[in-house]
Amino acid sequence: QQQVRQSPQSLTVWEGETAILNCSYENSAFDYFPWYQQFPGEGPALLISILSVSDKKEDGRFTIFFNKREKKLSLHIADSQPGDSATYFCAASANTGYQNFYFGKGTSLTVIP
Amino acid sequence: AQTIHQWPVAEIKAVGSPLSLGCTIKGKSSPNLYWYWQATGGTLQQLFYSITVGQVESVVQLNLSASRPKDDQFILSTEKLLLSHSGFYLCAWSLGGGSYEQYFGPGTRLTVL
């Protein structure tokens, strides 16, 4: 059973637009939700994360909106740039002393200049 | 600053041959260490984690084993490769003591023929 789901699978936006990437999860025990950015041939890089006690987290052009009741979150990338073209993974974990991360299948974002 | 190094960068191996992949973390004392596997174009699957030297826990069974011979070193190995072992292997680290963030290394690309 897929613990973390992402949509859409791929997304194309114009430069300057806001890209919206969606994520949902199954396990109510999940309390930490990081988003990773991955370029081809590289390891994922931690982009931004949120704890379940918050409903919003901002870091520059990147914002996470979190809805605990609906078990959904979204990553908004404002003023998208061609350099943002990458695959974005949503992950979730419960604080168990070590971090067992469950990853979604990713959203491939393309930003057209 | 913390640095994470993985070796080799890439490997091409024959089915049935042995494998050893390595990961070294510098600049952090007693980190939690993780091995992940990523199929081409796919999601990330956590394989192993280690909280301390000499102790490794398996998350999924993929005919692989892992060891932590030193505080800053994590090794992934198998005596007999399968075609299904092909993919991208990623090492990650986090602080102990309930810290949430995981940081990934650059990865090793494995092709099994």
Side-chain angles (χ1 to χ4, degrees), chain A residues 10-92:
Chain A
S10 63
L11 177 65
T12 300
V13 300
W14 293 100
E15 182 175 356
E17 291 186 333
T18 295
I20 300 176
L21 290 68
N22 300 303
C23 181
S24 64
Y25 62 97
E26 299 290 327
N27 190 341
S28 299
F30 289 152
D31 60 357
Y32 172 67
F33 303 89
W35 285 84
Y36 285 86
Q37 179 189 57
Q38 186 177 32
F39 296 104
E42 297 182 9
L46 180 61
L47 188 64
I48 186 173
S49 62
I50 193 168
L51 291 170
S52 61
V53 294
S54 302
D55 55 15
K56 183 180 178 182
K57 177 81 173 289
E58 286 182 272
D59 185 357
R61 297 187 293 111
F62 302 93
T63 303
I64 298 175
F65 293 93
F66 179 70
N67 186 321
K68 188 173 184 177
R69 184 179 60 83
E70 294 187 8
K71 298 181 188 173
K72 291 181 178 179
L73 58 157
S74 60
L75 173 67
H76 292 225
I77 305 174
D79 188 26
S80 295
Q81 301 297 309
D84 296 332
S85 297
T87 299
Y88 293 81
F89 289 96
C90 172

Side-chain angles (χ1 to χ4, degrees), chain B residues 4-8 20-24 32-38 44-50 56-57 59-60 64-68 73-77 88-93 102 104 107-108:
Chain B
I4 178 169
H5 175 60
Q6 289 190 240
W7 73 91
S20 181
L21 305 180
C23 171
T24 299
N32 292 346
L33 297 177
Y34 309 84
W35 277 113
Y36 284 82
W37 174 77
Q38 184 178 30
L44 289 89
Q45 171 68 61
Q46 194 175 86
L47 302 177
F48 299 93
Y49 69 91
S50 171
V56 177
E57 300 297 330
V59 179
V60 294
L64 295 167
S65 61
S67 64
R68 187 171 178 177
Q73 195 174 79
F74 209 17
I75 306 296
L76 182 71
S77 61
F88 200 38
Y89 288 85
L90 293 149
C91 180
W93 69 272
Q102 284 188 23
F104 285 84
T108 294

Side-chain angles (χ1 to χ4, degrees), chain B residues 60-92:
Chain B
V60 294
Q61 289 296 327
L62 284 181
N63 293 307
L64 295 167
S65 61
S67 64
R68 187 171 178 177
K70 301 178 184 178
D71 185 54
D72 64 352
Q73 195 174 79
F74 209 17
I75 306 296
L76 182 71
S77 61
T78 182
E79 292 187 358
K80 204 175 267 191
L81 279 166
L82 307 173
L83 284 174
S84 59
H85 286 137
S86 291
F88 200 38
Y89 288 85
L90 293 149
C91 180

